Amino acid sequence: MNPDVTQASLATTICRKGGFTGGIRPPANITDKEKRANALSYGYTASLHDAEYDHLVSLELGGDPDDPRNLWVEPPSPGHRVGAGPNNPKDAVETRLHTAVCAGKATLSAAQQAIATDWTTAESTLGISRD
Protein backbone atom coordinates (compact mmCIF):
# COMPACT_ATOMS: atom_id res chain seq x y z
CA MET A 1 0.00 0.00 0.00
CA ASN A 2 1.01 3.61 -0.46
CA PRO A 3 2.37 4.61 2.99
CA ASP A 4 1.23 8.21 2.43
CA VAL A 5 -2.42 7.12 2.32
CA THR A 6 -3.91 6.29 5.70
CA GLN A 7 -7.33 6.64 7.28
CA ALA A 8 -6.04 9.80 8.98
CA SER A 9 -4.67 11.33 5.76
CA LEU A 10 -7.69 10.80 3.49
CA ALA A 11 -8.55 14.51 3.27
CA THR A 12 -5.05 15.38 2.04
CA THR A 13 -4.52 12.33 -0.18
CA ILE A 14 -7.11 10.29 -2.05
CA CYS A 15 -10.11 12.41 -1.00
CA ARG A 16 -8.63 15.84 -1.62
CA LYS A 17 -10.31 18.15 -4.10
CA GLY A 18 -8.49 18.29 -7.41
CA GLY A 19 -7.42 14.67 -7.30
CA PHE A 20 -4.48 12.68 -6.09
CA THR A 21 -3.63 9.92 -8.54
CA GLY A 22 -2.35 12.14 -11.34
CA GLY A 23 0.57 13.22 -9.20
CA ILE A 24 1.67 9.67 -8.37
CA ARG A 25 0.77 7.69 -11.50
CA PRO A 26 3.93 6.45 -13.24
CA PRO A 27 4.38 7.74 -16.82
CA ALA A 28 3.50 5.48 -19.77
CA ASN A 29 7.11 5.26 -20.94
CA ILE A 30 7.84 3.38 -17.71
CA THR A 31 4.64 1.37 -17.37
CA ASP A 32 4.70 0.18 -21.00
CA LYS A 33 8.05 -1.56 -20.38
CA GLU A 34 6.81 -2.97 -17.09
CA LYS A 35 3.60 -4.19 -18.73
CA ARG A 36 5.54 -6.16 -21.35
CA ALA A 37 7.81 -7.71 -18.71
CA ASN A 38 4.87 -8.51 -16.44
CA ALA A 39 3.00 -10.17 -19.30
CA LEU A 40 6.02 -12.34 -20.07
CA SER A 41 6.38 -13.36 -16.42
CA TYR A 42 2.78 -14.64 -16.42
CA GLY A 43 3.00 -16.22 -19.87
CA TYR A 44 0.40 -13.77 -21.22
CA THR A 45 0.71 -13.85 -25.00
CA ALA A 46 -2.45 -12.10 -26.21
CA SER A 47 -2.33 -8.55 -27.54
CA LEU A 48 -1.27 -6.02 -24.93
CA HIS A 49 -3.31 -3.39 -26.77
CA ASP A 50 -6.50 -4.82 -25.29
CA ALA A 51 -5.06 -5.59 -21.85
CA GLU A 52 -4.70 -3.13 -19.00
CA TYR A 53 -1.68 -2.85 -16.74
CA ASP A 54 -3.76 -2.58 -13.61
CA HIS A 55 -3.25 -2.02 -9.92
CA LEU A 56 -4.73 -4.75 -7.74
CA VAL A 57 -5.54 -2.02 -5.19
CA SER A 58 -6.19 1.09 -7.26
CA LEU A 59 -4.34 4.33 -6.71
CA GLU A 60 -7.63 5.96 -5.75
CA LEU A 61 -7.86 3.47 -2.87
CA GLY A 62 -4.30 4.04 -1.72
CA GLY A 63 -2.61 1.29 -3.70
CA ASP A 64 1.13 1.58 -4.28
CA PRO A 65 1.82 3.01 -7.74
CA ASP A 66 5.14 1.17 -8.26
CA ASP A 67 5.05 -2.04 -6.22
CA PRO A 68 5.18 -4.99 -8.64
CA ARG A 69 3.04 -7.00 -6.20
CA ASN A 70 0.26 -4.47 -6.83
CA LEU A 71 0.50 -4.54 -10.64
CA TRP A 72 -0.60 -7.12 -13.18
CA VAL A 73 -1.68 -7.41 -16.79
CA GLU A 74 -5.44 -7.67 -16.76
CA PRO A 75 -6.89 -9.37 -19.84
CA PRO A 76 -9.88 -7.84 -21.61
CA SER A 77 -13.28 -8.47 -20.08
CA PRO A 78 -15.65 -11.02 -21.62
CA GLY A 79 -17.48 -9.57 -24.61
CA HIS A 80 -14.68 -7.12 -25.32
CA ARG A 81 -14.32 -6.10 -28.97
CA VAL A 82 -10.81 -7.04 -30.14
CA GLY A 83 -8.70 -4.01 -30.98
CA ALA A 84 -10.86 -1.57 -28.98
CA GLY A 85 -8.30 -1.09 -26.22
CA PRO A 86 -8.84 -1.87 -22.54
CA ASN A 87 -12.30 -1.87 -21.05
CA ASN A 88 -12.34 -2.67 -17.40
CA PRO A 89 -15.55 -2.93 -15.38
CA LYS A 90 -13.34 -3.07 -12.24
CA ASP A 91 -12.69 0.66 -12.71
CA ALA A 92 -16.31 1.55 -11.89
CA VAL A 93 -16.16 -0.56 -8.72
CA GLU A 94 -12.94 1.21 -7.69
CA THR A 95 -14.63 4.57 -8.17
CA ARG A 96 -17.66 3.58 -6.10
CA LEU A 97 -15.41 2.25 -3.30
CA HIS A 98 -13.38 5.47 -3.39
CA THR A 99 -16.60 7.49 -3.06
CA ALA A 100 -17.70 5.32 -0.12
CA VAL A 101 -14.35 5.73 1.66
CA CYS A 102 -14.35 9.50 1.18
CA ALA A 103 -17.97 9.70 2.40
CA GLY A 104 -17.13 7.69 5.53
CA LYS A 105 -19.29 4.73 4.48
CA ALA A 106 -16.31 2.34 4.48
CA THR A 107 -12.87 2.41 6.02
CA LEU A 108 -9.82 2.58 3.83
CA SER A 109 -8.46 -0.74 5.03
CA ALA A 110 -11.80 -2.52 4.53
CA ALA A 111 -12.10 -1.17 0.98
CA GLN A 112 -8.50 -2.17 0.17
CA GLN A 113 -9.05 -5.67 1.53
CA ALA A 114 -12.35 -6.09 -0.32
CA ILE A 115 -10.97 -4.98 -3.71
CA ALA A 116 -7.82 -7.10 -3.33
CA THR A 117 -9.81 -10.18 -2.31
CA ASP A 118 -12.40 -10.11 -5.11
CA TRP A 119 -13.36 -6.93 -6.92
CA THR A 120 -16.59 -8.53 -8.18
CA THR A 121 -17.89 -8.89 -4.61
CA ALA A 122 -16.18 -5.88 -3.00
CA GLU A 123 -19.30 -3.72 -2.90
CA SER A 124 -21.52 -6.39 -1.39
CA THR A 125 -18.77 -7.31 1.10
CA LEU A 126 -18.76 -3.68 2.29
CA GLY A 127 -22.55 -3.30 2.13
CA ILE A 128 -22.28 -0.58 -0.51
CA SER A 129 -25.18 -0.24 -2.93
CA ARG A 130 -24.67 0.57 -6.60
CA ASP A 131 -26.96 3.63 -6.51
Side-chain angles (χ1 to χ4, degrees):
M1 297 303 151
N2 184 336
D4 295 333
V5 181
T6 65
Q7 190 69 38
S9 73
L10 292 177
T12 59
T13 58
I14 65 170
C15 300
R16 82 169 178 232
K17 298 266 188 236
F20 174 73
T21 63
I24 63 167
R25 187 175 304 280
N29 66 331
I30 292 175
T31 58
D32 287 347
K33 292 177 200 170
E34 291 175 352
K35 182 179 181 180
R36 288 190 297 275
N38 185 279
L40 284 173
S41 76
Y42 281 101
Y44 185 83
T45 58
S47 169
L48 291 178
H49 175 75
D50 289 329
E52 180 176 350
Y53 194 42
D54 198 26
H55 292 89
L56 177 63
V57 176
S58 68
L59 301 182
E60 67 185 319
L61 289 173
D64 191 297
D66 301 311
D67 187 337
R69 296 169 297 179
N70 193 42
L71 288 157
W72 61 296
V73 174
E74 184 175 3
S77 299
H80 176 73
R81 190 174 41 94
V82 175
N87 81 325
N88 184 352
K90 180 177 172 257
D91 292 343
V93 174
E94 293 166 349
T95 299
R96 289 189 293 270
L97 293 185
H98 172 262
T99 299
V101 167
C102 292
K105 295 180 179 178
T107 66
L108 177 65
S109 62
Q112 290 171 335
Q113 181 66 38
I115 198 82
T117 300
D118 183 348
W119 71 267
T120 65
T121 61
E123 292 169 290
S124 62
T125 297
L126 296 171
I128 297 168
S129 67
R130 296 180 98 169
D131 297 339

